[in-house]
């Protein structure tokens, strides 16, 4: 039931977010690692089995944990659930419950109904996660649109990076995968990222480390916008040198 267990889980399951969190001050890490460890557990739950029913049971287990946190009841002891209950409140638990419910799409092979459903999925999973993280570090409610815009850009970039694997697993990750549509999506993601950054001065200093997690959104979306065929080809990833240099710059300046 330690912070180290959460950090180890994030290091194994989400190395980019682990690196971003390690760039944060220690007191911020103590809040971020349980939130991100929860995200690892929930995001991987649908992929641990080919049986949708079993996947939904795994997701329901986490929804039950969040309900225990939301209602203030006794939270089951678990290496992630316990520390999570110590860093989020009832409002955050409700936001994470919405994100967990959205993961039911991952357990099935049905396509998204339309573009609106796709965008709602990205907002619920990535936008909601980033908002919970920033809010836990002191971001006020008025900043929710700013943080969710940044989270959407982050989520879209990560989704683009995952598309080759999603397709290999029999999923249809985009309602319309034509290059022109992908390019439009990437440009919209960059526009949301730009809108968020235009208001970054309003974010309190304590909450800025949560935004380190978006460090790859700009480079990935820029590549997708310039050449949308990179998405299906799986060639969006920046070099390790550029990735680390970008993170070092963000951490040093605080300008996410």
């Amino acid at each position: 039931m330690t912070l180290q267990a959460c950090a180890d889980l994030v290091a194994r399951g989400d190395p980019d977010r682990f690196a971003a969190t390690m760039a944060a001050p220690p007191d911020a890490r103590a809040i971020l690692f349980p939130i991100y460890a929860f995200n690892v557990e929930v995001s991987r739950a649908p992929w641990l089995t080919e049986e949708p029913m079993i996947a939904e049971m795994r997701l329901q287990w986490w929804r039950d944990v969040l309900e225990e946190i939301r209602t203030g009841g006794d939270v089951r002891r678990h290496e992630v659930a316990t520390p999570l209950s110590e860093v989020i409140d009832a409002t955050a638990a409700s936001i994470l419950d919405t994100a967990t419910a959205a993961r039911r799409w991952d357990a099935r092979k049905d396509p998204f109904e339309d573009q609106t459903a796709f965008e709602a999925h990205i907002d619920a999973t990535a936008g909601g996660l980033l908002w919970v993280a920033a809010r836990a570090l002191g971001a006020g409610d008025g900043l929710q649109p700013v943080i969710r815009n940044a989270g959407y850009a982050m989520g879209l970039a990560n989704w683009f990076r995952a598309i080759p694997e999603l397709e290999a697993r029999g999923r249809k990750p985009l309602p319309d995968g034509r290059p022109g549509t992908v390019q439009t999506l990437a440009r919209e993601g960059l526009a949301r990222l730009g809108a968020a950054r235009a208001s970054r001065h309003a974010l309190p200093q304590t909450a800025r480390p949560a935004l380190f997690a978006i460090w790859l959104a700009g480079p990935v979306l820029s590549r997708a916008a310039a050449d949308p065929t990179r998405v299906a080809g799986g060639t969006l990833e920046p070099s390790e040198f550029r990735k680390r240099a970008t993170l070092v710059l963000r951490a040093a300046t605080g300008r996410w």
Side-chain angles (χ1 to χ4, degrees):
M1 311 296 178
T2 66
L3 179 63
Q4 189 61 50
C6 291
D8 290 344
L9 181 59
V10 178
R12 294 191 302 270
D14 194 347
D16 288 338
R17 214 180 310 264
F18 174 80
T21 307
M22 289 301 296
D27 56 344
R29 289 180 219 161
I31 294 172
L32 295 174
F33 272 134
I35 295 171
Y36 293 155
F38 162 83
N39 185 62
V40 170
E41 291 277 26
V42 169
S43 62
R44 72 180 183 178
W47 305 102
L48 296 175
T49 176
E50 291 294 323
E51 295 294 333
M53 183 66 71
I54 296 176
E56 296 222 15
M57 290 172 62
R58 293 179 186 274
L59 292 173
Q60 186 59 50
W61 191 91
W62 283 105
R63 296 189 73 183
D64 291 343
V65 168
L66 293 169
E67 180 64 10
E68 291 165 0
I69 296 173
R70 190 189 67 79
T71 59
D74 292 333
V75 179
R76 62 197 70 185
R77 291 183 60 79
H78 179 270
E79 66 177 4
V80 174
T82 302
L84 179 70
S85 70
E86 297 168 355
V87 300
I88 67 168
D89 60 11
T91 298
S94 294
I95 297 168
L96 292 179
D97 181 66
T98 299
T100 305
R103 293 288 182 185
R104 295 173 64 192
W105 182 90
D106 299 336
R108 305 165 182 168
K109 295 189 177 181
D110 300 329
F112 289 106
E113 292 181 7
D114 51 29
Q115 192 68 20
T116 299
F118 169 74
E119 292 178 2
H121 182 83
I122 299 297
D123 177 65
T125 53
L129 177 69
L130 194 65
W131 171 231
V132 165
R135 185 175 174 274
L137 293 182
D141 288 344
L143 289 168
Q144 181 170 180
V146 174
I147 305 303
R148 281 189 175 272
N149 269 334
Y152 179 88
M154 173 188 69
L156 182 62
N158 289 340
W159 193 264
F160 280 168
R161 294 164 72 195
I163 278 179
E165 182 176 356
L166 289 170
E167 291 181 334
R169 288 174 174 260
R171 303 302 198 270
K172 186 178 180 182
L174 295 172
D176 183 348
R178 291 175 296 178
T181 306
V182 171
Q183 185 176 57
T184 297
L185 269 175
R187 288 173 174 170
E188 290 175 351
L190 287 169
R192 292 202 194 195
L193 182 60
R197 285 175 170 165
S199 298
R200 61 185 164 197
H201 63 279
L203 195 66
Q205 191 75 29
T206 58
R208 291 179 185 179
L211 276 295
F212 292 168
I214 72 168
W215 60 307
L216 292 176
V220 169
L221 292 177
S222 293
R223 287 188 173 199
D227 181 3
T229 63
R230 280 178 172 266
V231 175
T235 58
L236 291 174
E237 204 75 17
S239 68
E240 282 300 315
F241 174 79
R242 181 174 181 183
K243 286 170 66 173
R244 300 306 166 187
T246 299
L247 181 56
V248 168
L249 179 63
R250 298 284 183 240
T253 63
R255 291 176 60 84
W256 45 271

